[in-house]
Each structure stands twice: as C-alpha cells, then as structure tokens.
C-alpha cells in the first residue's frame, strides 16, 4: 500500500534541512493537539506557532494558512494509518478477508484513541471532503487504498463492482465508527462490534459474486 499512498502536500516548500523538517513536525503536532482541545474553528496560525515554540514567520514559511496545516496533518494521518495497516498485514496471517477487515478497523480505532488530531480530522472531514485529492472525496481515496489489499492479498480481480463494494463498506463503517466515538470518547465497544459485523456481512454478500484472479 505504501507505494500507492502518495498525496500532494500542502507545504509551500519542502524543508531542506533536518532542523526545518523537525520544525514542521512540531507545527503539525501542535495543530493536532489544538484541534483536540479547541476544535478547528478556534484554531489559528498564531496559536499553532505558540504551541510549537516557533516564530509565526516560520509557520508562513511553510504554510499559507491553518487549512494548509490541517491538510498536511490529514495527509500525515492517512500515511500513518496505511503504514500501520501494512505492518499488520506483514506481521500477521489472516484466514480470510474478514479477519483483514477486522484488523483494519482495529487500527482505525486504536489511532482514534491514541493519535492526537486523528479523532478531530479523521481523514479530513473537519475541513472539507477533498483534503487528500482534489478530484475525489477522502473516503474514496481511502477505499482505493484498501481495495489494493483485496487485489494483492486475496486474489480478487479488479472490477467496478469491487470498487463500489469497498467504497460503500468504507462509507458505512466510517459513519458507524464516528457514532461509536460520539457516544463514548474511547469508542462504544458494542458500536465498534456492530460496525465490524455490518461491514463483514455486506462484503460477504458482495464479494462472493466477484471474479478471482486465476
């Protein structure tokens, strides 16, 4: 999945030195913390600079505004999500796609609980639906990445039907998981289990009729 997870960056320019790169990471960390504490509307470049311990000019050196910073934070979240999913697929063996789906949901839930800014941005919905790709909403982008797992790991043939099945599963699962975290800051366990059952049931019906690679 890593080679497919490439998004246009919101940075005005790439940091050329390690010190600059660390400064940008501090800005993103500060943005994540402030989003969790106060939300997007109260976010400002001034507050981000103060929290990161950098001059406001340093912020504008790399980002034009707070939206660009949240775009870059969203990109970082998605890349980290993909890395964690990839790592689980390398380290664990799954009896079938249903266990793989559960693992993906578990990664999402764990990041929601532990990664600053993740619960506030998810994959960008606090700002707009097109943070990752100007032509596709964020869940479509994520569905495309997860679809790659089905193609690579479980021998399904690429088809429009597979695209639709994975996109619907991502949209439905995202909605139920958001509800789980609205009801409980750590995610209501019964709702998380319901999301898994719903996605497994839907995909089971859809995938059994799809062709496989011979």
């Amino acid at each position: 999945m890593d080679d497919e997870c490439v998004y246009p960056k919101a940075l005005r320019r790439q940091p050329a030195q390690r010190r600059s790169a660390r400064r940008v990471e501090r800005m993103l960390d500060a943005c994540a913390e402030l989003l969790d504490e106060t939300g997007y509307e109260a976010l400002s470049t001034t507050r981000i600079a103060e929290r990161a311990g950098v001059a406001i000019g340093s912020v504008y050196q790399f980002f034009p505004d707070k939206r660009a910073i949240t775009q870059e934070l969203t990109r970082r979240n998605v890349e980290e999500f993909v890395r964690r999913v990839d790592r689980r697929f390398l380290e664990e063996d799954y009896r079938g796609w249903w266990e793989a789906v559960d693992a993906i949901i578990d990664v999402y839930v764990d990041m929601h609980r532990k990664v600053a800014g993740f619960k506030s941005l998810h994959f960008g919905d606090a700002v707009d639906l097109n943070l990752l790709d100007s032509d596709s909403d964020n869940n479509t982008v994520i569905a495309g990445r997860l679809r790659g797992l089905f193609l690579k790991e479980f021998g399904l043939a690429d088809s429009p039907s597979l695209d639709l099945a994975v996109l619907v599963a991502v949209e439905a699962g995202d909605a139920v998981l958001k509800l789980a975290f609205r009801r409980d800051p750590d995610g209501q366990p019964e709702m998380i289990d319901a999301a898994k059952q719903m996605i497994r049931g839907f995909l089971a019906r859809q995938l059994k009729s799809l062709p496989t690679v011979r």
Side-chain angles (χ1 to χ4, degrees):
M1 292 173 68
D2 284 335
D3 57 345
E4 295 181 359
C5 189
V6 179
Y7 310 113
K9 294 194 173 187
L11 288 161
R12 270 182 162 158
R13 67 180 184 85
Q14 296 297 317
Q17 300 177 340
R18 186 175 301 175
R19 183 175 60 183
S20 297
R22 286 198 297 264
R23 192 182 308 138
V24 169
E25 288 301 308
R26 290 206 308 273
M27 295 176 202
L28 296 178
D29 291 341
C31 178
E33 293 169 4
L34 290 167
L35 281 168
D36 285 349
E37 292 171 13
T38 62
Y40 181 74
E41 291 303 319
L43 188 69
S44 69
T45 52
T46 300
R47 297 188 68 186
I48 291 171
E50 291 173 351
R51 178 65 62 93
V54 302
I56 188 65
S58 293
V59 175
Y60 290 124
Q61 185 179 13
F62 293 100
F63 300 103
D65 51 34
K66 71 175 186 179
R67 184 179 183 278
I69 303 175
T70 54
Q71 281 181 306
E72 186 66 9
L73 177 60
T74 299
R75 185 197 59 78
R76 189 177 75 169
N77 284 347
V78 173
E79 290 190 345
E80 178 61 21
F81 174 76
V82 170
R83 277 194 294 269
R84 292 188 186 199
V85 170
D86 240 5
R87 188 160 58 245
R88 286 197 66 162
F89 272 70
L90 288 172
E91 294 173 352
E92 301 174 10
D93 293 322
Y94 301 110
R95 292 173 296 173
W97 62 263
W98 52 91
E99 289 188 348
V101 168
D102 281 357
I104 291 167
I105 294 173
D106 288 341
V107 170
Y108 178 97
V109 169
D110 186 65
M111 288 188 67
H112 202 295
R113 290 170 175 162
K114 298 177 182 178
V115 176
F118 191 82
K119 66 182 179 182
S120 299
L121 282 177
H122 292 287
F123 297 129
D125 51 5
V127 186
D128 63 36
L129 290 173
N130 299 88
L131 278 176
L132 304 181
D133 185 312
S134 60
D135 298 318
S136 302
D137 67 74
N138 297 331
N139 277 348
T140 300
V141 175
I142 298 302
R145 301 303 178 264
L146 301 183
R147 177 187 59 103
L149 288 173
F150 286 96
L151 298 175
K152 183 170 67 174
E153 301 289 338
F154 300 109
L156 289 171
D158 201 0
S159 70
S161 296
L162 176 62
D163 291 349
L164 180 61
V166 175
L167 177 57
V168 170
V170 168
E171 290 283 356
D174 184 51
V176 176
L177 289 170
K178 285 176 183 175
L179 177 60
F181 282 95
R182 284 203 302 270
R183 292 192 168 192
D184 182 335
D186 288 325
Q188 188 178 47
E190 298 85 355
M191 194 69 69
I192 293 171
D193 288 340
K196 290 181 177 180
Q197 293 172 24
M198 177 189 68
I199 293 171
R200 284 198 303 261
F202 172 75
L203 287 176
R205 293 189 295 273
Q206 300 299 311
L207 298 184
K208 67 181 181 180
S209 62
L210 296 182
T212 57
V213 176
R214 297 185 183 278

